[in-house]
Amino acid sequence: MDYQELMDKAIEAAKNSYSPYSKFAVGACLLTENGKTYSGCNFENSSFGLTICAERNAVGSAIADGERKIKAIAIYSPNQKHCYPCGACRQVLNEFKSDSGLDVITEGDTDLEIAPISFLLPEGFNL
Ligand code: THU
């Protein structure tokens, strides 16, 4: 599974976004150490604070399937180039990074950008 394939799945997932309030669609697809992929999209609520981000939706599916080590996640929004994860999602991704780290992949005009979670969340909280 190369990173462009992962991004293609994130693009597909964004099509299922339920975002009638913000009109900001997001899709994500993550890759685990076991080579499995899990997609997610954001889904909003009329009680706005209940919104779930695409990244955490994908992480939840992976966890529910018994996966614990995430190697990479691609994130896509048709509304914005380089759609980076919010702070809450960075902390959640940090929890499940693989032993070799976790690459966050975003899409620009021409190429994919890869940023390690350790760069996006230095000194993340750990117990
Ligand atoms: N959103 C995500 O899905 N992921 C992020 O990392 C940031 C924000 C969603 C939440 C909401 O539905 C919309 O984008 C606008 O904030």
Side-chain angles (χ1 to χ4, degrees):
M1 169 74 48
D2 70 24
Y3 284 173
Q4 186 56 57
E5 282 178 82
L6 209 58
M7 179 56 74
D8 290 344
K9 289 177 184 286
I11 291 168
E12 273 308 300
K15 293 178 185 164
N16 291 328
S17 165
Y18 177 74
S19 43
Y21 306 107
S22 73
K23 313 230 185 298
F24 193 92
V26 185
C29 186
L30 64 79
L31 174 67
T32 69
E33 237 172 35
N34 292 326
K36 292 181 160 185
T37 61
Y38 299 87
S39 294
C41 60
N42 58 330
F43 59 100
E44 301 183 344
N45 193 274
S46 54
S47 176
F48 297 158
L50 300 182
T51 288
I52 303 289
C53 292
E55 298 91 321
R56 275 178 288 159
N57 188 3
V59 169
S61 293
I63 297 305
D65 200 34
E67 297 291 306
R68 292 291 185 269
K69 304 268 187 188
I70 300 171
K71 280 178 73 106
I73 185 167
I75 305 163
Y76 173 80
S77 172
N79 303 72
Q80 191 181 82
K81 296 287 172 197
H82 294 302
C83 183
Y84 280 104
C86 73
C89 287
R90 290 177 198 209
Q91 177 67 26
V92 168
L93 290 169
N94 187 60
E95 183 83 18
F96 298 109
K97 61 180 182 276
S98 77
D99 297 340
S100 58
L102 189 162
D103 284 339
V104 175
I105 304 148
T106 60
E107 194 187 62
D109 279 326
T110 53
D111 53 358
L112 298 179
E113 195 163 277
I114 300 162
I117 191 68
S118 58
F119 173 77
L120 296 176
L121 186 72
E123 308 297 341
F125 180 74
N126 290 295
L127 283 180

